[in-house]
Amino acid sequence: MGRDARDRRPQNLEVRFCGGCNPSIDRIAVADEVRSQLDSNERAEATLFISGCQRACASQHQLRIDDRAAVVVAGEYVDGRPAAAPRISVTVMERLRACRGTAKG
Amino acid sequence: MALKTPEEYIQSIADLGLEIYIFGKKVEDYTNHPIIRPSLNCLAMTYELAAQPEYQDLMLATSHLTGKKINRFAHIHQSPEDLIKKVQMQRLLGQKTGSCFQRCVGMDALNAVYSVTYEIDQAKGTDYYQRFRSYVEYIQNNDLTVDGAMTDPKGDRGLPPHQQPDPDLYVHIVERRADGIVVRGAKAHQTGACNSHEALIMPTVAMREGDEDYAVCFSTPANAPGITYIYGRQSCDTRKLEGTELDVGNKRFGGQEALMVFDNVFVPWDRVYMAGEIEFSGALVERFAGYHRQSYGGCKVGVGDVLIGAAALAADYNGVAKASHIKDKLVEMNHLNETLFSCGVACSAMGFKTAAGNYQSDLLLSNVCKQNITRFPYEITRLAEDIAGGLMVTMPSESDFTDEKIGPIVRKYFAGQCDVPTMDRMRVLRLIENLTLGTAAVGYRTESLHGAGSPQAQRVMIARQSNLNHKKELAKVLAGVGKELPQSCPGQRDVAAVRP
């Protein structure tokens, strides 16, 4: 999906990216896949931090943020647990849904 | 307990009563054995520098477990700055010893096991992490040296551990009891094993189904019943038995490697940190290797500093210091050495926080660092030998230089620059020999190649950690791959017009 197409989409998820200097995962694809799995009228109640590697620059080097509604992707890790690249968006969705009602798993 | 003095450290190793064999014989007074003692002196230097205010910024850290000042070798890294200070400390010790000082491997093992046990517990509901934290606190409070032991003999490299004809070729659990486990096997090439109070044992490869008994991580006192050490030989090692000073090149310091054999060694459960969790063995190997490949960006650089200094002195003493090609070779040696340090610092600065909270060096850059280490020390030694000249391998022995009749003759004919004593020139050449092909070359050359994993192991990791698809996309965008060229292209018309 091109930049223009992404900008026209409903913003049902707040995403914060790292700068992407040397990503080991496709950060934009992860965000797109997660957005596409949200229902059309569904809005995620958590912020998704996506970093291209485990340095986790997007979340200020935190692999997991416990004091707010947030899910952290840092390379092949989601909230501090390993997640192989093809499984990242699915794992993120599980974590986002767990965030509802401020409950974090 | 306060930090140990070097003397207390050496006495504490003597008190262990380790079972060490060298040249086919058991050594009783091993801390005073002329081949072993220089390696013990190296490790003692990690205690000596920690007591000196001018080195404490690097040598000491504050424990995140107790808040006490501890030796950095027992520290669990809490920030990228900690990782950088680790590399700086290693460079310092390489400079002070000109040898492998052996304590890094335990520090790297402590940090790797710390984060992986946390992740096992998160996934499996075990309590390895809490056990391990208690162990780390014990190590820190008693200022102990730990041998981090990973490399199994491995037998047939084409077979997994559980299919080896001899099951002992990988350390494994032979019995699970109510109070602990019993293990058998061996760890090879163990740096500083005979100079350590403790051993922290880790699996050496990613385990698969059927390998459960081999996916084992535990700690043990170095003198536990059933543990035997068989000392490894080094090039020119028996010169240390001759009692001379000149011929050994570096009289006070040296490295150490040993085969560590476990013959039905009992390990209580509170010292077991993995027992069958095969899916985490790969992560443990990867993280330990990451730390240890980072380490080489410090320790080998420090030894490199000594070799560069020795080569520069040899040039001075030979009277060729002003020759442009000599100056250029010294610049090249420094360039290579500082490139290695840059790699060590870079993988530290780009380190990341693990789920357990400690910091891990960047794995891609750690492997790049070590890959360069497999090459650059060889070029640095080549240049050092080039500058030193052939005399470093043809000069007579110390006995000749001190002989009443022969001494004046060899001193006359091996004189160099007129205001430099012949013996100073000889001392520097012997140090270069020691570093490039003597006992210290084990650490500076072959260990640079194979220690912390052979070159191909890093290339596998570099391939895995590099995102080639990302790079392809970058190139596609700039090249316009997939776009049709415009129908009317002036550039093409111009080219066609000038063709004959």
Side-chain angles (χ1 to χ4, degrees):
Chain A
M1 188 184 294
R3 186 186 191 84
D4 292 344
R6 281 203 304 275
D7 291 345
R8 286 196 299 274
R9 267 184 329 228
Q11 293 299 305
N12 54 359
L13 173 67
E14 183 186 353
V15 180
R16 296 198 190 162
F17 290 104
C18 72
C21 66
N22 194 14
S24 60
I25 59 166
D26 188 335
R27 300 166 306 139
I28 296 163
V30 169
D32 287 346
E33 286 168 19
V34 171
R35 282 186 172 122
S36 70
Q37 289 177 60
L38 289 166
D39 296 336
S40 56
N41 57 352
E42 185 180 16
R43 182 174 170 78
E45 294 174 14
T47 303
L48 176 59
F49 295 84
I50 305 181
S51 298
C53 72
Q54 285 170 267
R55 179 121 171 95
C57 293
S59 53
Q60 296 188 315
H61 313 301
Q62 302 299 311
L63 284 182
R64 179 184 167 115
I65 301 173
D66 286 324
D67 58 354
R68 58 175 292 193
V71 175
V72 176
V73 174
E76 292 188 299
Y77 276 76
V78 176
D79 277 351
R81 293 195 185 187
R87 291 273 311 160
I88 291 175
S89 63
V90 174
T91 310
V92 168
M93 284 305 298
E94 291 169 3
R95 303 295 296 168
L96 284 173
R97 287 180 173 136
C99 281
R100 285 192 180 135
T102 70
K104 281 206 77 170
Chain B
M1 177 183 278
L3 294 166
K4 281 184 168 54
T5 66
E7 295 75 22
E8 287 169 343
Y9 158 70
I10 289 172
Q11 186 57 50
S12 66
I13 294 296
D15 292 344
L16 291 173
L18 300 175
E19 191 159 338
I20 302 173
Y21 288 81
I22 186 166
F23 299 125
K25 293 191 175 68
K26 187 178 175 190
V27 189
E28 297 300 337
D29 184 13
Y30 51 84
T31 57
N32 288 311
H33 190 284
I35 287 181
I36 300 175
R37 182 59 187 233
S39 70
L40 196 64
N41 289 340
C42 258
L43 233 152
M45 189 57 105
T46 70
Y47 290 87
E48 187 175 330
L49 295 185
Q52 297 180 14
E54 62 268 39
Y55 300 119
Q56 286 179 341
D57 181 52
L58 296 180
M59 295 301 305
L60 298 182
T62 302
S63 168
H64 73 297
L65 298 174
T66 64
K68 296 176 189 164
K69 282 285 180 191
I70 55 170
N71 193 300
R72 189 175 294 281
F73 281 101
H75 187 46
I76 301 296
H77 314 303
Q78 298 297 302
S79 64
E81 189 185 4
D82 268 351
L83 291 169
I84 292 172
K85 284 194 172 179
K86 168 197 164 186
V87 171
Q88 291 175 295
M89 170 183 71
Q90 291 167 314
R91 184 172 187 169
L92 171 70
L93 276 153
Q95 292 171 344
K96 295 292 186 188
T97 61
S99 305
C100 169
F101 41 88
Q102 310 147 52
R103 204 172 171 183
C104 313
V105 68
M107 168 176 54
D108 293 341
L110 289 171
N111 275 273
V113 176
Y114 188 88
S115 66
V116 173
T117 49
Y118 181 89
E119 289 169 26
I120 298 175
D121 288 2
Q122 291 290 304
K124 302 272 188 178
T126 45
D127 65 346
Y128 294 133
Y129 176 68
Q130 201 52 50
R131 292 179 197 174
F132 193 69
R133 275 175 67 104
S134 301
Y135 179 67
V136 172
E137 203 170 321
Y138 166 69
I139 296 299
Q140 292 180 345
N141 286 343
N142 292 282
D143 199 12
L144 300 179
T145 290
V146 179
D147 166 36
M150 177 164 277
T151 308
D152 293 275
K154 295 198 285 282
D156 183 339
R157 271 66 170 167
L159 296 174
H162 74 278
Q163 287 180 3
Q164 295 287 332
D166 182 343
D168 297 340
L169 292 174
Y170 286 78
V171 169
H172 61 116
I173 301 169
V174 291
E175 187 183 354
R176 292 171 189 259
R177 298 178 2 193
D179 52 349
I181 58 175
V182 177
V183 297
R184 280 185 66 83
K187 292 289 182 184
H189 327 302
Q190 285 311 295
T191 299
C194 309
N195 295 334
S196 300
H197 306 95
E198 287 276 329
L200 178 53
I201 311 301
M202 301 164 286
T204 196
V205 293
M207 303 290 175
R208 297 186 175 84
E209 200 174 330
D211 291 331
E212 284 77 6
D213 286 341
Y214 296 83
V216 59
C217 176
F218 60 90
S219 63
T220 177
N223 59 352
I227 297 180
T228 305
Y229 302 86
I230 302 163
Y231 212 84
R233 292 210 65 171
Q234 296 181 331
S235 170
C236 308
D237 55 3
T238 48
R239 285 194 194 182
K240 293 178 181 177
L241 301 176
E242 295 169 1
T244 60
E245 183 170 318
L246 173 70
D247 293 349
V248 291
N250 183 349
K251 173 82 173 169
R252 189 174 167 200
F253 298 109
Q256 175 193 99
E257 297 79 29
L259 178 70
M260 186 178 189
V261 180
F262 298 82
D263 183 12
N264 291 337
V265 175
F266 173 71
V267 183
W269 282 115
D270 63 354
R271 278 174 167 266
V272 177
Y273 316 114
M274 177 189 287
E277 291 81 4
I278 50 174
E279 65 271 41
F280 288 91
S281 57
L284 182 50
V285 173
E286 195 171 283
R287 293 203 189 158
F288 171 76
Y291 282 125
H292 212 44
R293 290 167 191 175
Q294 170 212 20
S295 284
Y296 280 31
C299 65
K300 304 303 178 199
V301 177
V303 178
D305 287 328
V306 175
L307 183 55
I308 293 167
L313 279 175
D316 289 345
Y317 296 171
N318 289 345
V320 296
K322 290 180 181 168
S324 61
H325 73 99
I326 296 291
K327 289 181 187 171
D328 189 56
K329 283 165 186 161
L330 290 168
V331 168
E332 177 65 6
M333 292 167 82
N334 273 310
H335 163 66
L336 293 169
N337 206 41
E338 298 301 340
T339 301
L340 297 176
F341 187 56
S342 305
C343 290
V345 171
C347 65
S348 305
M350 296 294 281
F352 62 90
K353 191 177 186 178
T354 70
N358 64 328
Y359 273 73
Q360 170 81 47
S361 59
D362 181 275
L363 294 176
L364 172 60
L365 297 185
S366 295
N367 280 278
V368 169
C369 176
K370 175 65 200 343
Q371 182 76 185
N372 283 332
I373 297 281
T374 67
R375 300 173 180 174
F376 294 1
Y378 283 85
E379 180 62 6
I380 293 171
T381 54
R382 190 186 72 79
L383 290 166
E385 291 182 33
D386 182 350
I387 292 170
L391 185 56
M392 63 172 261
V393 292
T394 63
M395 59 191 277
S397 69
E398 179 179 313
S399 304
D400 293 311
F401 283 101
T402 54
D403 183 79
E404 195 175 331
K405 181 180 175 187
I406 302 296
I409 298 172
V410 288
R411 284 169 192 258
K412 167 186 165 73
Y413 285 108
F414 291 125
Q417 197 190 43
C418 31
D419 58 351
V420 174
T422 301
M423 291 318 298
D424 285 351
R425 185 175 178 230
M426 298 301 106
R427 281 177 180 274
V428 164
L429 294 179
R430 281 287 183 225
L431 177 60
I432 294 174
E433 182 198 35
N434 170 259
L435 287 162
T436 57
L437 51 86
T439 52
V442 173
Y444 191 58
R445 289 175 58 125
T446 313
E447 188 179 281
S448 289
L449 191 68
H450 291 296
S454 302
Q456 188 58 23
Q458 290 111 55
R459 299 185 82 78
V460 168
M461 283 297 293
I462 291 169
R464 195 187 303 164
Q465 297 278 330
S466 306
N467 187 346
L468 208 53
N469 287 332
H470 172 63
K471 297 178 199 301
K472 285 181 185 173
E473 289 304 319
L474 295 173
K476 279 182 185 174
V477 169
L478 293 182
V481 171
K483 289 183 183 172
E484 287 297 325
L485 287 173
Q487 286 299 312
S488 174
C489 179
Q492 285 182 331
R493 263 204 315 275
D494 293 345
V495 171
V498 298
R499 275 186 186 142

